[in-house]
Amino acid sequence: MASRQGGSGAEEVPRPGSTERRTAPHAASPEADRRRASTARPGSPESVPSRGRETDPDRGRSTTPRRRTPEDPPLRDPGSYALTNHFRERLEQPGRYVSTRTVTEAIRRGQLRWNRTDGWRFALVDGGIRFVVVVSDTETDSPVVVTGWTEVADREAALEAGRFDPVDVDTIALRAALSETPETTIPDRIRPRTVTRPFVVGGHRLETEPGEPFVRCVECGCRFRSKEAITSRRCRGPSAGR
């Protein structure tokens, strides 16, 4: 361990003919050191000859990095995250509109917020659509992407961007409305939507026409006005057992 005084007290003397310079800014002779030490009060800074700069006792000491906690903001490195099976299933479902690319962009550039139920979430608005990515296990060396979804942030901007057509935008808006209050029926939020390409919720493949206060499963024919009704009833259509 380094001494607080920064040296052994022995004067370094260059070898004859050497061009090496003393490192102490004000090098004194041994006689001067002895005179100063004899007149200094015991325990005072001057009672011990100084040799160069004082060494910080903490400098060079090895320290263990502080372990991350769930409250620490998550890493912005998409390559650090694995995908849960739950999220992988969502990547394959029609009408989800989430992809590994949107996950990457959300983690890199998205707005960071604490998610009370699942950990942290990144939210990125791109072309009128908000992409939300929820991550967990951020205090470990193996953080994961738990889930993700889309919301309509600005309908007109989404249509103008051209990335999604009107059916896509209505699908995103309808899915978000169903998830926002799953136990509540929402006929008034279903009626304005036109969804002619079925999207999947709870094993049902759903669509709706303008003016209809319900979504209808194209497989089993059941009609639903809330997400809870959808997820509480198993689809028994012809493709259900495949």
Side-chain angles (χ1 to χ4, degrees):
M1 180 178 295
S3 167
R4 180 174 293 274
Q5 295 302 324
S8 63
E11 185 74 13
E12 182 180 355
V13 180
R15 295 185 301 273
S18 170
T19 59
E20 183 180 0
R21 297 182 178 179
R22 297 179 186 267
T23 56
H26 300 290
S29 67
E31 291 77 13
D33 284 341
R34 284 194 294 270
R35 287 196 300 271
R36 184 167 57 252
S38 64
T39 58
R41 294 188 304 273
S44 69
E46 292 182 352
S47 63
V48 180
S50 174
R51 300 299 182 196
R53 297 180 179 178
E54 180 174 318
T55 302
D56 185 347
D58 292 331
R59 186 170 298 172
R61 181 184 300 173
S62 61
T63 58
T64 302
R66 184 179 69 85
R67 178 170 178 166
R68 294 177 59 82
T69 70
E71 289 74 26
D72 289 324
L75 302 174
R76 290 277 185 175
D77 177 15
S80 299
Y81 293 84
L83 304 181
T84 60
N85 291 334
H86 173 75
F87 183 74
R88 289 182 184 278
E89 292 172 359
R90 291 198 163 200
L91 291 175
E92 301 173 359
Q93 290 180 352
R96 288 289 182 184
Y97 305 102
V98 291
S99 66
T100 54
R101 185 181 73 82
T102 58
V103 169
T104 295
E105 291 304 308
I107 291 175
R108 284 178 177 168
R109 303 189 289 116
Q111 188 179 47
L112 184 60
R113 287 289 184 270
W114 174 253
N115 190 39
R116 289 178 296 177
T117 57
D118 297 306
W120 289 91
R121 64 170 61 183
F122 298 94
L124 175 68
V125 177
D126 184 10
I129 301 298
R130 180 180 296 105
F131 298 90
V132 182
V133 174
V134 178
V135 299
S136 186
D137 295 344
T138 54
E139 75 279 13
T140 71
D141 293 332
S142 303
V144 295
V145 175
V146 178
T147 189
W149 63 85
T150 48
E151 302 169 351
V152 178
D154 185 328
R155 180 179 175 82
E156 294 304 318
L159 294 175
E160 290 178 4
R163 181 176 180 179
F164 301 109
D165 65 22
V167 172
D168 292 326
V169 176
D170 274 352
T171 300
I172 293 171
L174 181 52
R175 184 190 288 277
L178 288 167
S179 297
E180 185 177 331
T181 54
E183 299 86 8
T184 306
T185 59
I186 54 168
D188 292 338
R189 300 181 69 178
I190 297 174
R191 283 192 181 96
R193 306 304 173 194
T194 302
V195 178
T196 55
R197 292 190 294 270
F199 64 98
V200 178
V201 176
H204 295 276
R205 299 181 65 239
L206 307 169
E207 63 179 13
T208 188
E209 295 289 341
E212 292 181 342
F214 53 79
V215 292
R216 178 181 58 258
C217 178
V218 299
E219 295 288 342
C220 66
C222 292
R223 300 176 178 184
F224 308 100
R225 291 177 172 83
S226 71
K227 185 174 182 178
E228 184 180 52
I230 299 170
T231 56
S232 62
R233 183 163 184 170
R234 182 179 177 184
C235 181
R236 299 185 182 279
S239 300
R242 295 180 185 176

